[in-house]
Amino acid sequence: MSEAWEPLRIEPSASVVVVTGAGVSAESGIATFRDKGGIWEQYDLERVATPRGFAMDPDLVWRFYSERRAQVLGCEPNPGHRALVALERYLEPRGRFLLVTQNVDGLHQRAGSRRVLPIHGSLLRTRCSNDTCPSQPFDDEQSYMDGAPRCTTCGALLRPDVVWFGEYLDPDLERQARLAIADCDLFMAVGTSGLVYPVAGYVEIAAHYGVPRVLVNLEPPANLGAFTSFYQGKSGEVLPAILRSVAEAIGLG
Ligand code: BJW
């Protein structure tokens, strides 16, 4: 395991998959879920992030997501997000890059990342809770502090377009992520506790194919043993350091 933040050597023709979690947005001022002071210390996840919680109290769920919407809209991407943009640009001409993010905050996209799979959905999108309704998910920055909104097409409750516990991830996004991991030269995970499946298991796919597996995290996560190197620290400091040769190669160093 690496203690120093040595730069990673990445060939311009390499195929790289990066999986990110809440830790990558921590330095933008967005609370993680399971750290001290994290979201699940303040809120009961069963009540705000499960279909059952939504059925029991949709107004509470909407207050929770409305507060987070307002917070995210006031935050900016940090150097960790930007280092991943540099990596994508470096690989664009000859290599391949895919960013699989569990984050629903949209900060990777706002930083300029293009090949992003938001595998747990988006905080800034709303959809109908009725699966048979023909309406489509839509971009939505509104707060609904006074109660859950209703669908103008079918009258059912609207809900945030995120993936709650007990719900399946979008099968098309899952397929794209798994195929890219099976076929990459380098797998990286950044700022994630390695507790939430199926994404926590993606490193095992990379391991199955003998792909090097780099972890950048503040604390050792649950699945530490599955990685081949560990850079312990804040992603906003570690990523710019380990990707500095990449940034230099594209004139951003
Ligand atoms: C820093 C840092 C800095 C801090 N720099 N690092 C297999 C085994 C067991 C259970 C299951 C299983 N398969 C499925 C399940 C059930 C369940 C699950 O995984 N449960 C476990 C918790 C036990 N999974 C699901 O239900 C998923 N659905 C599914 O699999 O469907 C099929 C199925 C269903 C039921 C049974 C079996 C199969 C859906 C999961 C959806 C997760 N949704 C949430 C909410 C999204 C919307 C919202 O934001 O409100 O997604 S929960 C929450 O956790 C959110 C996150 O994306 C996700 C992961 O959290 P993350 O990103 O890792 O954050 P933290 O806080 O946990 O960690 C932060 C890390 O960063 C820490 O390690 C810090 O050290 C570090 N850090 N600052 C770098 N500056």
Side-chain angles (χ1 to χ4, degrees), residues 15-214:
S15 170
V16 179
V17 176
V18 182
V19 170
T20 62
V24 86
S25 292
E27 289 152 90
S28 293
I30 299 174
T32 61
F33 293 93
R34 295 169 187 82
D35 292 312
K36 197 167 166 357
I39 292 173
W40 299 151
E41 256 183 22
Q42 245 187 303
Y43 294 91
D44 177 354
L45 77 85
E46 292 289 340
R47 293 182 69 199
V48 297
T50 63
R52 197 172 127 81
F54 184 67
M56 280 168 59
D57 194 345
D59 294 353
L60 171 76
V61 172
W62 265 114
R63 278 197 299 280
F64 170 67
Y65 282 97
S66 295
E67 277 172 15
R68 288 177 58 205
R69 272 186 180 176
Q71 190 205 17
V72 156
L73 289 169
C75 291
E76 296 297 328
N78 67 56
H81 295 107
R82 288 193 285 275
L84 294 176
V85 177
L87 177 58
E88 180 171 4
R89 301 242 164 104
Y90 169 76
L91 293 169
E92 232 157 37
R94 291 174 54 202
R96 267 181 295 162
F97 175 85
L98 185 66
L99 177 51
V100 181
T101 188
Q102 299 169 88
N103 298 344
V104 296
D105 56 33
L107 287 184
H108 285 300
Q109 295 89 331
R110 276 171 54 196
S113 289
R114 286 190 276 239
R115 294 259 300 137
V116 186
L117 299 183
I119 205 140
H120 286 170
S122 169
L123 190 57
L124 299 173
R125 238 177 20 224
T126 296
R127 70 174 168 89
C128 185
S129 62
N130 167 12
D131 290 338
T132 63
C133 176
S135 66
Q136 292 297 311
F138 59 95
D139 292 340
D140 190 8
E141 296 186 354
Q142 241 183 281
S143 283
Y144 300 100
M145 295 301 283
D146 299 331
R150 286 196 176 267
C151 175
T152 51
T153 305
C154 76
L157 288 168
L158 291 173
R159 57 163 284 178
D161 192 15
V162 298
V163 182
W164 286 324
F165 281 110
E167 293 187 316
Y168 284 96
L169 281 62
D170 180 320
D172 184 47
L173 298 190
E174 265 256 80
R175 190 184 51 83
Q176 288 182 54
R178 288 171 183 276
L179 284 175
I181 294 164
D183 192 32
C184 72
D185 305 306
L186 175 66
F187 176 88
M188 291 175 72
V190 186
T192 178
S193 55
L195 285 167
V196 178
Y197 285 82
V199 176
Y202 286 177
V203 63
E204 303 290 354
I205 303 174
H208 176 80
Y209 288 95
V211 174
R213 305 170 299 280
V214 170

